[in-house]
């Protein structure tokens, strides 16, 4: 259901974690040799494990894995693991139905935040004190599958997508809703394209390019035949910055900027 990549420059480790909701396992890979270093099993007793991420704790100079569980009886929560799979701690007030998890390092405040997409809202947690930082909610009753951060020297924005077809833009530190853009399709994933544009992956297989300033659709791209589950930017040796998408049609597509 999800994978994350982390290039550890200091120790020269190239790492990937892959997450499976079918067996609730997380696998840690050495991407330089494609060896499976560890298979972390039975992290949660029930529910489904949809998402996990790497977290670089600069104060401890260590890399950790953060995972969140989707379980409607709210019996589980965010768990911090070391790279050997040992459970180190749990995050307070995080027993939510979690579909997405990531972390954001605030350079001005010199601290990490953990971000979760839940059923009906998005949360941020202060990793320093292990407490809830903000709850971003408009009281919708749909799953939030993707969250990204725009860091603009303190005026930080949180962009999140909901299965109700809306993209919401929040002020990260105040929790205020700044803008809402209706896409008219159930949304699985979002990815920023520069400072002013956003790619949106929809359930019907459509990839939409949105102008964040006016909320208008710039272009509709219809190559996937089923839900667009993942959107990432990559560096291509010929075409420069490109987009890579993965759909529920079992295809991966690389998109090049036609102006190049």
């Amino acid at each position: 259901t999800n994978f994350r990549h982390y290039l550890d420059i200091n120790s020269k480790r190239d790492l990937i974690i892959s997450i499976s909701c079918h067996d609730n396992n997380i696998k840690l890979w050495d991407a330089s040799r494609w060896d499976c270093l560890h298979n972390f099993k039975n992290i949660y007793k029930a529910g489904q494990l949809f998402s996990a991420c790497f977290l670089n704790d600069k104060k401890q100079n260590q890399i950790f894995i953060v995972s969140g569980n989707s379980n409607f009886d709210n019996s589980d929560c965010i768990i911090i693991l070391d790279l050997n799979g040992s459970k180190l701690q749990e995050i307070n007030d995080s027993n939510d139905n979690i579909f997405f998890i990531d972390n954001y390092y605030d350079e001005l405040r010199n601290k990490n935040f953990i971000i979760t997409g839940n059923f009906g809202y998005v949360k941020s947690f202060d990793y320093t004190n292990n407490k809830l930082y903000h709850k971003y909610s408009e009281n919708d009753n749909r799953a939030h599958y993707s969250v990204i951060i725009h860091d603009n020297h303190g005026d930080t924005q949180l962009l999140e997508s909901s299965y109700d077809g809306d993209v919401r833009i929040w002020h990260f530190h105040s929790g205020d809703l700044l803008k809402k853009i209706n896409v008219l399709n159930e949304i699985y994933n979002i990815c920023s394209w520069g400072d002013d544009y956003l790619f949106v992956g929809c359930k019907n297989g459509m990839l939409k390019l949105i102008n964040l300033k006016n909320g208008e659709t710039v272009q509709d791209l219809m190559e996937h035949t089923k839900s667009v589950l993942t959107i990432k930017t990559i560096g291509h040796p010929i075409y420069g910055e490109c987009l890579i998408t993965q759909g529920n049609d079992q295809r991966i597509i690389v998109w090049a900027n036609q102006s190049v």
Side-chain angles (χ1 to χ4, degrees):
T1 53
N2 191 252
F3 79 93
R4 298 293 172 87
H5 172 251
Y6 186 81
L7 182 61
D8 189 346
I9 299 176
N10 293 328
S11 63
K12 298 181 179 179
R13 294 180 299 177
D14 195 3
L15 302 174
I16 287 175
I17 49 173
S18 60
I19 300 95
S20 171
C21 70
H22 299 292
D23 55 16
N24 283 342
N25 291 354
I26 297 177
K27 291 184 178 181
L28 176 66
W29 303 82
D30 182 336
S32 62
R33 305 192 307 266
W34 298 113
D35 292 335
C36 183
L37 304 176
H38 295 288
N39 185 11
F40 308 142
K41 299 181 179 181
N42 303 317
I43 297 170
Y44 294 97
K45 296 178 182 178
Q48 289 184 307
L49 178 58
F50 280 105
S51 189
C53 67
F54 289 103
L55 186 146
N56 181 5
D57 188 330
K58 295 188 177 182
K59 293 182 179 180
Q60 297 189 52
N61 194 27
Q62 284 187 275
I63 310 300
F64 299 110
I65 295 174
V66 184
S67 66
N69 189 41
S70 174
N71 190 7
F72 278 96
D73 67 6
N74 293 334
S75 62
D76 291 304
C77 59
I78 297 173
I79 292 177
I80 311 294
L81 307 167
D82 65 19
L83 294 187
N84 293 315
S86 298
K87 179 179 174 180
L88 302 178
Q89 69 181 70
E90 298 179 355
I91 300 296
N92 298 328
D93 199 24
S94 67
N95 54 331
D96 298 292
N97 206 39
I98 298 174
F99 298 98
F100 174 89
I101 194 165
D102 205 351
N103 82 95
Y104 156 65
Y105 177 69
D106 188 318
E107 292 187 359
L108 292 178
R109 291 166 174 80
N110 189 27
K111 65 171 58 177
N112 286 94
F113 293 91
I114 296 173
I115 304 155
T116 61
N118 309 301
F119 191 83
Y121 47 83
V122 171
K123 281 184 174 181
S124 59
F125 298 87
D126 188 333
Y127 175 73
T128 305
N129 58 24
N130 194 22
K131 293 183 179 180
L132 177 69
Y133 187 62
H134 277 301
K135 180 179 179 180
Y136 312 86
S137 174
E138 259 205 326
N139 297 316
D140 65 289
N141 61 349
R142 299 295 182 93
H144 294 249
Y145 285 116
S146 186
V147 185
I148 58 177
I149 300 294
H150 273 180
D151 192 349
N152 187 21
H153 304 291
D155 187 23
T156 308
Q157 295 179 350
L158 181 149
L159 287 72
E160 48 96 349
S161 65
S162 172
Y163 207 56
D164 63 3
D166 287 330
V167 172
R168 295 176 177 86
I169 304 175
W170 306 82
H171 191 282
F172 180 78
H173 293 293
S174 70
D176 295 331
L177 180 62
L178 303 177
K179 184 183 293 187
K180 182 166 68 174
I181 301 171
N182 187 261
V183 182
L184 302 176
N185 284 287
E186 294 95 336
I187 304 169
Y188 274 109
N189 214 289
I190 56 177
C191 179
S192 58
W193 185 258
D195 293 330
D196 300 325
Y197 296 93
L198 186 76
F199 275 107
V200 176
C202 304
K203 179 184 177 182
N204 64 355
M206 184 173 290
L207 185 66
K208 301 176 76 73
L209 180 62
I210 306 293
N211 186 319
L212 289 173
K213 290 185 176 180
N214 56 28
E216 295 180 356
T217 299
V218 178
Q219 192 172 4
D220 289 332
L221 304 168
M222 197 72 186
E223 290 290 337
H224 285 289
T225 57
K226 294 184 179 180
S227 306
V228 181
L229 303 178
T230 305
I231 313 172
K232 299 288 184 184
T233 56
I234 61 170
H236 192 279
I238 298 176
Y239 299 106
E241 187 176 23
C242 293
L243 202 70
I244 185 167
T245 59
Q246 172 253 333
N248 210 23
D249 53 4
Q250 300 183 11
R251 290 196 300 161
I252 294 174
I253 299 176
V254 179
W255 307 79
N257 191 334
Q258 293 181 355
S259 64
V260 177

